[in-house]
Amino acid sequence: MILQFIHWHVSPTIFSLGPVSVRWYGLLFAMSFVVGYFIMLRIFRKENIPEPLLDQLSMYMLIATVVGARLGHVLFYEPESYLAHPLDILKIWQGGLASHGAAIGIIAALLLFARKTRQPFLWVIDRIVIVVALAGFFIRTGNLFNSEIYGNLTQLPWGFIFERNGETLPRHPTQIYEGLCYLGIFFFLLWYYFQKNGKPRPGFLFGFFLISVFGFRLLVEFIKEPQVNFENSMALNMGQLLSIPFIIGGIILLARKPKITK
């Protein structure tokens, strides 16, 4: 049987109790931290790293992800609007999180964490990107439930008609494309880590993550709807321009020669 488009009208809200609503996006966002914590716990135990260090790391990650993603959206996509109404920056529940901002925030936080705990930065981030890739899958699934960040019009049989947004024509479900890509990257990184018995070459996992995640992001943006109006006149949109430095950084990490220890 050939698919004849998918009519997507799923509510982003799971249930409500008075003024409080539990939404799919929030649940999946929380799951990314919970599942990621237990994966990191296994890694820490494998390498005999004190578990209290993981609790500190988790707090750094939570703050860096939320603050970085929010400020990234504010600065990269709608600076004029938020500068005119600065208190709106705090209204995270109204939406507006940027993955590139989260990436910058996480890198900055892990630099601070590594300095404070005297752990090698590459050791920390090589392991963190494993669960970050999985978080990308959860977050893009949340975007799907929110009927947001979808693609251009398509006649492919798996096109989604996002009816809750008033759409009547099928579009690329780019949330699914990205989510499945990130899930595949997660499985590869986890497999490679254990394949190397918890001792991958420093910087390899981080470099591969940067190239694969942001490389795919650069490509999928060609079939995405612009997030803000000013992107309509750009050859490469903001998401693509922000992806390029991360890709270059990943290439540098993979190309560098490992240090020879005596």
Side-chain angles (χ1 to χ4, degrees):
M1 182 178 179
I2 300 176
L3 290 174
Q4 293 297 325
F5 311 130
I6 297 168
H7 293 258
W8 187 255
H9 47 76
V10 177
S11 173
T13 301
I14 304 173
F15 64 87
S16 298
L17 293 174
V20 179
S21 296
V22 177
R23 298 169 64 91
W24 284 108
Y25 186 93
L27 176 63
L28 289 162
F29 187 85
M31 281 180 60
S32 69
F33 280 93
V34 173
V35 177
Y37 179 89
F38 284 105
I39 293 173
M40 289 298 296
L41 182 59
R42 182 178 177 186
I43 289 174
F44 270 50
R45 287 174 175 173
K46 178 178 179 59
E47 300 189 40
N48 296 315
I49 305 298
E51 292 181 19
L53 203 62
L54 177 57
D55 296 330
Q56 295 182 45
L57 178 58
S58 299
M59 186 58 62
Y60 273 79
M61 285 293 296
L62 178 60
I63 295 173
T65 301
V66 175
V67 174
R70 184 57 171 172
L71 292 181
H73 178 81
V74 170
L75 296 174
F76 298 145
Y77 290 98
E78 298 183 81
E80 293 181 0
S81 174
Y82 284 105
L83 287 175
H85 306 90
L87 290 180
D88 287 350
I89 297 174
L90 302 177
K91 299 177 181 179
I92 298 177
W93 59 89
Q94 293 183 356
L97 300 173
S99 57
H100 293 89
I104 295 171
I106 288 171
I107 292 172
L110 293 184
L111 283 168
L112 292 175
F113 174 83
R115 182 177 180 180
K116 181 179 178 180
T117 60
R118 297 185 179 180
Q119 296 290 331
F121 170 71
L122 287 180
W123 179 90
V124 177
I125 202 163
D126 271 340
R127 285 140 187 83
I128 278 294
V129 293
I130 298 174
V131 296
V132 170
L134 181 62
F137 165 73
F138 281 121
I139 290 170
R140 282 297 179 251
T141 304
N143 294 140
L144 177 64
F145 279 104
N146 280 349
S147 296
E148 61 188 2
I149 315 181
Y150 44 73
N152 300 330
L153 296 175
T154 181
Q155 289 299 309
L156 293 171
W158 56 81
F160 272 52
I161 301 176
F162 293 94
E163 296 179 347
R164 292 187 63 86
N165 288 1
E167 297 285 350
T168 59
L169 298 174
R171 295 181 175 273
H172 283 287
T174 47
Q175 314 97 322
I176 296 178
Y177 300 166
E178 286 190 70
L180 291 177
C181 176
Y182 302 154
L183 185 62
I185 293 169
F186 159 72
F187 280 122
F188 172 79
L189 294 175
L190 189 65
W191 168 83
Y192 189 87
Y193 170 81
F194 284 104
Q195 179 72 11
K196 295 297 182 180
N197 196 29
K199 297 178 182 179
R201 176 167 70 86
F204 176 84
L205 294 179
F206 183 34
F208 181 87
F209 172 89
L210 291 176
I211 294 171
S212 57
V213 167
F214 291 102
F216 187 81
R217 177 68 185 272
L218 186 142
L219 293 175
V220 79
E221 289 290 332
F222 284 112
I223 58 171
K224 262 189 186 179
E225 284 288 293
Q227 293 191 49
V228 287
N229 290 332
F230 71 77
E231 291 183 314
N232 290 320
S233 60
M234 300 170 65
L236 296 177
N237 65 27
M238 182 60 71
Q240 291 172 311
L241 293 176
L242 292 171
S243 293
I244 293 173
F246 289 103
I247 297 170
I248 294 173
I251 293 172
I252 293 172
L253 279 169
L254 293 190
R256 72 189 186 97
K257 294 181 180 180
K259 292 182 180 180
I260 300 175
T261 58
K262 296 182 180 179

